Amino acid sequence: MTDPEKNVSLLEVPPHRILPLRHSVLRAGRPLEEALFDGDDAPGPLHFGAFITDECTSCLSLIKSNFEGKPAYQLRGMATLPEYAKKGIGRSLLDFAISTAEHLPVWCNARTESAGFYTKAGWAESGTPFNIEGIGPHVTMLYLPVKQS
């Protein structure tokens, strides 16, 4: 999908296309391996990128999981290059990715400073904030799809 207003292509891609961005934004200064998630290369996870020309400006992954014992997708590794933040690219990518999620709930452990982004996109906090060692404070966020009648 291409957003002509922003000249951005939203694509499902193999994980190697988004790994450099995920590493530079979420694991800067740490070994590249820390930006790899278990199962990234396995069948099943969905990886998405927003591209301007060939530059990946925003990325995320959806991994099938459970939330409170029910089938869901976990959103992991959402990142946007700082110079493209607050321009709607990340939100467009998030909406595009969720549209592929088979009408299942989507949840994530969001950095607390990013919780507002998810709230504006229709997500709700679930549970209490917690700390991920070496990364910082997080809160679980949940997106429930609209039921189709």
Side-chain angles (χ1 to χ4, degrees):
M1 176 180 158
T2 300
D3 182 341
E5 282 186 27
K6 299 181 183 89
N7 202 24
V8 176
S9 296
L10 306 174
L11 305 170
E12 184 177 344
V13 296
H16 74 270
R17 294 277 313 269
I18 64 171
L19 186 61
L21 174 60
R22 189 194 285 172
H23 177 253
S24 71
V25 173
L26 300 178
R27 301 293 190 270
R30 301 172 87 106
L32 180 65
E33 298 77 38
E34 288 191 29
L36 293 169
F37 300 147
D38 288 339
D40 265 347
D41 288 326
L46 305 173
H47 306 282
F48 299 90
F51 294 86
I52 297 176
T53 312
D54 288 329
E55 181 181 29
C56 185
T57 61
S58 188
C59 68
L60 65 86
S61 297
L62 293 178
I63 300 167
K64 279 200 173 176
S65 69
N66 288 302
F67 187 82
E68 298 181 346
K70 295 181 181 167
Y73 276 98
Q74 181 181 8
L75 169 72
R76 298 202 61 199
M78 182 155 194
T80 299
L81 287 172
E83 59 268 31
Y84 293 101
K86 300 186 188 311
K87 297 188 184 303
I89 296 170
R91 173 66 188 272
S92 293
L93 183 63
L94 181 63
D95 292 344
F96 176 69
I98 287 174
S99 75
T100 71
E102 305 166 13
H103 300 291
L104 292 174
V106 182
W107 67 278
C108 70
N109 291 325
R111 294 175 188 224
T112 54
E113 70 261 17
S114 299
F117 167 81
Y118 294 102
T119 301
K120 287 179 188 172
W123 294 52
E125 286 189 29
S126 178
T128 58
F130 58 96
N131 191 57
I132 295 179
E133 187 68 35
I135 299 174
H138 282 67
V139 65
T140 300
M141 304 291 297
L142 176 64
Y143 177 82
L144 295 173
V146 175
K147 299 269 185 196
Q148 301 293 319
S149 12

